């Protein structure tokens, strides 16, 4: 680790900066031992190995703002970090050891749940799971659900505009945000924790921070919208003969009652095989297939007859050979087991070996075409490569991931990541899609920005960054490519 941190023209002794910060946060608020900081310097996918002189863990917004102000004065960069579940290295410090990690984990109070205003007010370090439970205890639904919800924290979920399983019905994280509290890169606190449904008072600043991946400021608290808690929920797992059939099934449910479709998730035979192989206590309720769909219907209306609807749509789809096998959950435990088959895909893929992830979106109608073209192009690019597409078909966001050919050296496979991402990118661009649907840009994908978001769009982003963070101390190297 360097003894000095050099940023711009100012040079500070690390020990001096850390002593000033320690006076603010106290001994519980700072980790400096490599054994304590290790978990904060590597990303979930183990793609990035960062280094840091310290992890700062403020207990409240005032402490955090004081730390940010000290770092701004010293021109020291900060990397805000929540549950450290980024898929694109968005919360991992650089390898040169010049950046401090700012962990939000101790700021984990749920300040209020209001079932009349239908809002929850909470600090950034609350896990998404804990927030869902608090909302449910008040008879409401926090309608955001992602595979990493047990670990992911609200601050990170908002800073990355997480999507997840319920986007088709409730939108992304940004659609749930009514108010934010943010510490700006100079240490000022923006007290924007409003909970108004209507508020036309100038630029919508909160939306600037949602999806900014910690490059414009640190989200410290939020007010989120809640939805009515469903009183009927039905879950079914189906085997379908093709991705085209999965799309046909989706349109059948949409035609029946679009308001009831809460999740429509696609999985391939390869991904399911990985789950069954690597995740304990998982099993399929029918014979293995090449394609699967998980459907969740939910409604807050009592007596809506969702079970009948699910049965009716599935029976007609089986008759038309759009579905080859289907099972409906008979209990809460079965429902959880069916969801596990989908939610464990990322973990199972990690255990299988090295993978290149493409978190892409296209118009829903184009998903089958994208999958067919990617299967063909990837086989041409690298014989033996295993395509493992899964994800949120109902909103057009597929994790078009690729696993190394069996037996291939992992590093050699990962060295081809740009070639694989470019191959997918070409198809996705042709279908009017996006190269990052929900995982963000992080440090993995800034190189793609000029190509995909160049011209006026990247220019506006750079101007916003410079206006709010002129010293470039907030999560450097993420989202925007180096000029
Ligand atoms: C998911 O939907 O499970 C995630 O976004 C994970 C992934 O892409 O691997
Ligand atoms: Zn996802």
């Amino acid at each position: 680790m360097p003894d000095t941190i050099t940023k711009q023209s100012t040079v500070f002794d690390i020990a001096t900066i850390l002593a000033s910060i320690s006076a603010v946060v106290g001994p519980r608020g700072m980790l400096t031992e490599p054994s304590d900081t290790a978990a904060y310097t590597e990303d979930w996918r183990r793609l990035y190995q960062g280094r840091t002189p310290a992890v700062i863990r403020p207990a409240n917004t005032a402490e955090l703002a004081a730390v940010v102000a000290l770092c701004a004065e010293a021109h020291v960069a900060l990397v805000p970090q929540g549950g450290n579940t980024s898929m694109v290295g968005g919360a991992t410090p650089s390898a040169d050891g010049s950046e401090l990690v700012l962990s939000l984990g101790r700021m984990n109070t749920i300040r209020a749940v209001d079932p009349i205003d239908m809002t929850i007010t909470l600090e950034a370090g609350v896990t998404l799971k804990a927030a869902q439970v608090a909302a449910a205890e008040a008879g409401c639904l926090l309608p955001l659900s992602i595979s990493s919800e047990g670990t992911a924290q609200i601050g990170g979920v908002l800073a990355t505009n997480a999507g997840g399983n319920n986007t088709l019905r409730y939108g992304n994280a940004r659609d749930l945000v009514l108010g934010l509290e943010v510490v700006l890169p100079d240490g000022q606190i923006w007290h924007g924790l409003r909970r108004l449904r209507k508020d036309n008072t100038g630029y919508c600043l909160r939306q600037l921070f949602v999806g900014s991946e910690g490059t414009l400021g640190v989200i410290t608290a939020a007010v989120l919208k809640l939805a009515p808690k469903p009183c009927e929920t039905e879950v079914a797992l189906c085997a379908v003969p093709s991705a085209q059939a999965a799309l046909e099934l989706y349109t059948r449910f949409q035609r029946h009652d679009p308001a009831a479709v809460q999740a429509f998730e696609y999985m391939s035979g390869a991904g399911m095989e990985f789950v069954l192989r690597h995740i304990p206590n998982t099993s399929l309720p029918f014979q293995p297939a090449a394609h699967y769909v998980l459907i969740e219907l939910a409604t807050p209306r009592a007596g809506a007859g969702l079970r009948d609807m699910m049965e009716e749509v599935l029976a007609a789809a089986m008759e038309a050979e759009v579905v080859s096998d289907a099972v409906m959950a008979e209990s809460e435990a079965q429902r959880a087991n069916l969801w596990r088959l989908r939610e464990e895909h990322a973990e199972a893929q990690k255990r299988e070996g090295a993978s290149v992830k493409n978190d892409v979106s296209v118009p829903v109608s184009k998903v089958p075409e994208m999958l067919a073209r990617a299967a063909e192009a990837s086989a041409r690019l690298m014989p033996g490569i295993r395509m493992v597409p899964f994800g949120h078909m109902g909103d057009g966001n597929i994790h078009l991931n690729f696993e190394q050919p069996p037996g291939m050296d992992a590093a050699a496979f990962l060295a081809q990541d740009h070639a694989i991402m470019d191959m997918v990118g070409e198809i996705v661009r042709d279908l009017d899609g996006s190269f990052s649907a929900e995982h963000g840009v992080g440090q993995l994908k800034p190189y793609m920005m000029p190509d995909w978001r160049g011209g006026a769009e990247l220019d506006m982003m750079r101007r916003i960054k410079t206006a709010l963070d002129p010293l470039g101390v907030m999560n450097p190297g993420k989202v925007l490519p180096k000029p």
Side-chain angles (χ1 to χ4, degrees):
M1 209 66 66
D3 293 332
T4 55
I5 293 177
T6 309
K7 283 284 164 188
Q8 321 247 326
S9 58
T10 320
V11 179
F12 280 79
D13 175 61
I14 290 176
T16 310
I17 299 162
L18 294 187
S20 312
I21 293 175
S22 177
V24 172
V25 298
R28 281 193 65 206
M30 188 187 296
L31 307 173
T32 51
E33 286 302 319
S35 55
D36 294 333
T37 60
Y40 299 81
T41 53
E42 187 181 51
D43 67 311
W44 184 83
R45 292 177 65 191
R46 303 203 186 109
L47 292 180
Y48 299 100
Q49 283 289 343
R51 290 191 312 147
T52 188
V55 174
I56 317 299
R57 304 168 67 239
N60 54 50
T61 304
E63 280 188 18
L64 190 142
V67 169
V68 174
L70 281 169
C71 288
E73 198 195 339
H75 295 200
V76 169
L78 286 165
V79 180
Q81 191 178 100
N84 199 13
T85 58
S86 174
M87 295 282 181
V88 288
T92 310
S94 65
D96 67 7
S98 69
E99 300 166 1
L100 302 181
V101 174
L102 189 55
S103 167
L104 278 292
R106 285 177 73 206
M107 295 172 57
N108 58 2
T109 303
I110 295 175
R111 296 187 189 164
V113 184
D114 190 326
I116 294 176
D117 288 335
M118 296 295 275
T119 56
I120 182 166
T121 306
L122 67 189
E123 295 179 355
V126 174
T127 63
L128 178 53
K129 184 84 208 161
Q132 289 167 350
V133 169
E137 281 168 1
C140 304
L141 173 75
L142 176 58
L144 188 68
S145 167
I146 59 178
S147 300
S148 56
E149 61 200 23
T151 314
Q153 297 172 7
I154 291 299
V157 160
L158 296 179
T160 57
N161 184 29
N165 306 329
N166 302 146
T167 298
L168 82 166
R169 177 137 167 205
Y170 300 100
N172 295 304
R174 80 163 68 255
D175 299 296
L176 304 177
V177 180
L178 291 177
L180 285 186
E181 180 186 84
V182 178
V183 173
L184 301 179
D186 62 2
Q188 278 190 81
I189 303 172
W190 171 43
H191 298 282
L193 272 186
R194 299 180 197 117
R195 51 203 175 109
L196 303 173
R197 305 282 167 156
K198 285 188 165 178
D199 177 23
N200 276 343
T201 50
Y203 303 135
C204 185
L205 295 175
R206 67 180 186 277
Q207 293 296 0
L208 206 52
F209 294 97
V210 179
S212 69
E213 302 185 37
T215 60
L216 300 178
V218 186
I219 295 173
T220 49
V223 182
L224 304 180
K225 279 187 226 171
L226 299 176
K229 193 168 158 182
C231 60
E232 273 185 46
T233 303
E234 295 295 338
V235 171
L237 179 72
C238 304
V240 294
S242 63
Q244 189 60 44
L247 178 65
E248 163 70 24
L249 185 60
Y250 169 74
T251 55
R252 282 170 179 251
F253 275 105
Q254 288 293 72
R255 275 203 299 268
H256 223 83
D257 184 358
V261 184
Q262 179 119 328
F264 193 94
E265 298 282 308
Y266 169 83
M267 289 156 283
S268 69
M272 191 64 91
E273 220 182 284
F274 293 173
V275 171
L276 299 174
R277 184 177 311 150
H278 297 292
I279 308 295
N281 306 319
T282 51
S283 60
L284 263 181
F286 41 61
Q287 286 304 306
H291 308 267
Y292 303 89
V293 164
L294 183 78
I295 305 135
E296 182 166 292
L297 306 179
T299 178
R301 275 181 294 127
L306 280 191
R307 194 162 183 88
D308 290 350
M309 171 182 158
M310 182 79 98
E311 276 170 4
E312 202 182 308
V313 175
L314 291 181
M318 285 179 103
E319 179 75 23
E321 296 184 0
V322 167
V323 168
S324 43
D325 251 319
V327 70
M328 283 172 68
E330 300 288 343
S331 65
E332 189 52 45
Q334 281 182 14
R335 196 175 126 197
N337 282 341
L338 293 183
W339 262 111
R340 264 187 93 216
L341 295 172
R342 160 63 187 92
E343 302 253 272
E344 294 288 359
H345 262 62
E347 181 61 36
Q349 198 182 4
K350 185 161 135 180
R351 293 187 194 181
E352 177 73 14
S355 63
V356 172
K357 287 179 187 280
N358 296 277
D359 165 42
V360 298
S361 58
V362 291
V364 181
S365 59
K366 300 289 183 194
V367 169
E369 182 182 344
M370 174 179 73
L371 295 180
R373 286 172 64 175
E376 211 176 277
S378 58
R380 243 184 292 122
L381 182 74
M382 190 186 287
I385 195 170
R386 292 171 289 170
M387 187 167 110
V388 191
F390 63 91
H392 321 293
M393 185 166 190
D395 61 43
N397 171 201
I398 297 289
H399 302 301
L400 190 34
N401 300 348
F402 290 89
E403 194 77 17
Q404 63 182 84
M408 184 176 181
D409 175 61
F413 174 70
L414 290 176
Q416 298 296 315
D417 61 345
H418 282 203
I420 296 168
M421 282 150 77
D422 290 350
M423 173 270 295
V424 171
E426 208 172 296
I427 297 164
V428 169
R429 191 193 289 268
D430 200 42
L431 296 173
D432 294 330
S434 169
F435 70 95
S436 184
E438 62 173 9
H439 293 170
V441 180
Q443 57 180 305
L444 183 62
K445 299 180 179 174
Y447 83 97
M448 298 170 87
M449 290 292 273
D451 222 24
W452 287 78
R453 297 288 177 259
E457 201 165 348
L458 191 51
D459 187 43
M460 282 191 284
M461 290 191 206
R462 286 198 194 283
R463 286 201 235 175
I464 290 167
K465 171 73 175 170
T466 309
L468 287 181
D469 183 19
L471 300 172
V473 289
M474 213 34 97
N475 213 9
K478 315 293 166 37
V479 182
L480 299 176
K482 290 204 174 74

